[in-house]
């Protein structure tokens, strides 16, 4: 029978104000599958429009898309013989499209002409199209690199990553016999192009050196498409610029075999302000004040002319945060990061200071008790220093980070772990080594790439150095532990971007996490600090104050 599509009582995915798109209806909503041959696909398609306006221009475009789809399945000679538009009594339009599929074709022999840089076997391996494969001109063009792709892995990318900016590849049909088509791919390699000028425009606050140190496009070097794409990624990850408008502006100069790259940027605000306040509940004034400056400049902090409203442009990060819940809780945090220590290599330096106090300030009647809050509390004071280094092996997505952390916990009549440990001081000194790799293009909305992190954190083995620590009154004066963490995340795009502006896309995230905490001496219990806690929001039962790793849990 006839393949019939009935979309009655189905809301239009494009709303009543937008024109109906036949091809988008097929691909995005799956009402019709064109992946079978004549056994399932009659020469007629029938479908009914519901809630969408008919648009002649869009309809003509979609007729061509139907043929393109047939061509991708090997039906090279497919054609639309006729179409009929009929208005039914309900006021909607029925569209009948009559299609002649023709025969299904396959690739035959593929030969190369004009290739001097790479031999036929190398090019055949990258092309990945062999004799007997179903004919698909779109796949052939994509493997040749005639359709732009950030993933690379095509013939054009192979040449352009080695400076051949003027490279061209044209597939020519040489013979058509029965159901087989032979192709000759004619290559024009051209000369290798070197980068001549690199200009930057649109950065009003961010200084040129902050941008240039992220670029792989360096004057005098051979042009490389992968370096161009990597530069775009690094600029986007700064979060200083609108990612969608970053434009490298490649301008070839065939006369002298060079290329100019004119980066056009559009700055956006990446700073954050957190402000909340309240009054009541018997605690008085409560609130949070936090600011984060992601493009700070400590160098210009003494220059009045640079304060607009704060000195910016050097790519440093400064964060300040204060939170208070009256006498029950208060917290202060400060951190500063220089991503390029010394300015020549991607060696980061971070310093952080924090102080907090959590008091058992409420009496049995639920009222604030000033005396109680001064005698029943947990105070923490911490300092951390971290140095990071970008590695070149296995690749330059890897970073190695060394961290030294000191946190002092001061308890006053506040049992948190052991009833015998209600008051006292614990000094937690630890070192941490972290190896991480990130190839994610956009950290805020990652659509591809991966994140990996492995770390080992450890304290000195006090109990092995001092055997009497097991008998001491405060066994946790110097807590000891060793801790391993491993996180892995993959992002896989599902389908092509959707919508008029191509901003909607389904992305699959696959993640795996592992954590382990150990002890040097099995006669001592595990450290009450730096443990793992599943779920929670970070403050309940003081988990946020004890250095716990909060493992997100939903469901």
């Amino acid at each position: 029978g006839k393949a019939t599509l009935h979309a009655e009582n189905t809301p239009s995915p494009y709303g009543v104000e937008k024109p109906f798109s036949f091809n988008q209806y097929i691909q995005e909503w799956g009402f019709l599958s064109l992946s079978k041959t004549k056994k399932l696909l009659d020469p007629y398609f029938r479908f009914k429009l519901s809630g969408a306006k008919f648009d002649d221009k869009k309809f003509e475009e979609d007729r061509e898309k139907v043929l393109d789809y047939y061509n991708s399945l090997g039906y090279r000679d497919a054609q639309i013989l006729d179409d009929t538009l009929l208005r039914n009594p309900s006021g909607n339009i029925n569209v009948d499209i009559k299609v002649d599929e023709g025969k299904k074709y396959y690739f035959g022999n593929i030969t190369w002409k004009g290739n001097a840089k790479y031999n036929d076997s190398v090019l055949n391996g990258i092309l990945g199209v062999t004799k007997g494969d179903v004919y698909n001109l779109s796949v052939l063009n994509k493997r040749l690199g005639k359709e732009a792709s950030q993933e690379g892995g095509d013939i054009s990318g192979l040449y352009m990553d080695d400076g051949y900016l003027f490279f061209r590849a044209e597939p020519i049909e040489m013979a058509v016999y029965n159901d087989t088509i032979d192709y000759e791919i004619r290559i024009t390699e051209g000369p290798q192009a070197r980068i001549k000028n690199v200009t930057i425009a649109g950065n009003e606050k961010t200084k040129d050196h902050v941008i240039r140190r992220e670029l792989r496009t360096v004057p005098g070097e051979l042009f490389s498409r992968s370096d161009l794409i990597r530069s775009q990624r690094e600029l986007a990850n700064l979060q200083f610029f609108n990612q969608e408008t970053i434009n490298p502006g490649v301008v070839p100069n065939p006369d002298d075999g060079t290329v100019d790259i004119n980066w056009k940027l559009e700055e956006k605000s990446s700073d954050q302000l957190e402000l909340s306040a309240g009054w009541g509940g018997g605690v008085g004034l409560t609130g949070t004040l936090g600011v984060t400056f992601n493009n700070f400049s400590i160098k210009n902090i003494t220059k009045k002319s640079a304060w607009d409203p704060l000195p910016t442009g050097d790519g440093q990060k400064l964060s300040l945060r204060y939170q208070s819940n009256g006498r029950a809780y208060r917290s202060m945090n400060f951190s500063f990061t220089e991503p390029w220590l010394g300015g020549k290599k991607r060696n980061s330096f971070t310093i952080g200071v924090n102080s907090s106090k959590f008091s058992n300030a409420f009496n049995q009647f639920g009222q604030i008790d000033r005396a109680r809050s001064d005698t029943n509390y947990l105070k923490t004071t911490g300092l951390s220093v971290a140095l990071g280094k970008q590695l070149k092996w296995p690749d330059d997505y890897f970073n190695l980070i060394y961290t030294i952390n000191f946190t002092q916990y001061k308890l006053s009549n506040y049992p948190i772990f052991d009833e015998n440990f209600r008051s006292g001081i614990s000094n937690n000194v630890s070192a941490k080594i972290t190896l991480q790799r990130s190839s994610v293009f956009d950290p805020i909305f990652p659509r591809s790439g991966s994140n990996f992190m492995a770390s080992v954190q450890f304290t000195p083995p006090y109990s092995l150095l001092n055997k009497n620590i097991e008998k001491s009154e405060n066994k946790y004066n110097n807590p000891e532990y060793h801790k391993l963490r491993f996180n892995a995340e993959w992002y896989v795009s599902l389908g092509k971007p959707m919508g008029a502006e191509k901003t909607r896309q389904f992305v699959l995230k696959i993640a795996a996490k592992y954590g382990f905490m150990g002890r040097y001496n099995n006669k001592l219990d595990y450290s009450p600090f730096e443990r793992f806690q599943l779920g929670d929001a970070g403050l309940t039962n003081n988990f946020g104050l004890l250095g716990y790793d909060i493992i997100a849990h939903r469901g």
Side-chain angles (χ1 to χ4, degrees), residues 454-478:
S455 68
V456 55
Q457 184 179 359
F458 55 90
T459 65
Y462 300 107
S463 63
L464 300 182
L465 302 175
N466 181 9
K467 300 297 182 180
N468 296 324
I469 195 172
E470 303 169 13
K471 303 176 181 179
S472 63
E473 294 183 3
N474 185 1
K475 301 176 182 179
Y476 309 110
N477 185 53
N478 297 109

Side-chain angles (χ1 to χ4, degrees), residues 37 54 137 165 173 227 248 310 383 458 512:
T37 57
F54 184 82
L137 185 58
L165 176 62
E173 287 188 8
D227 284 348
L310 287 170
L383 171 67
F458 55 90

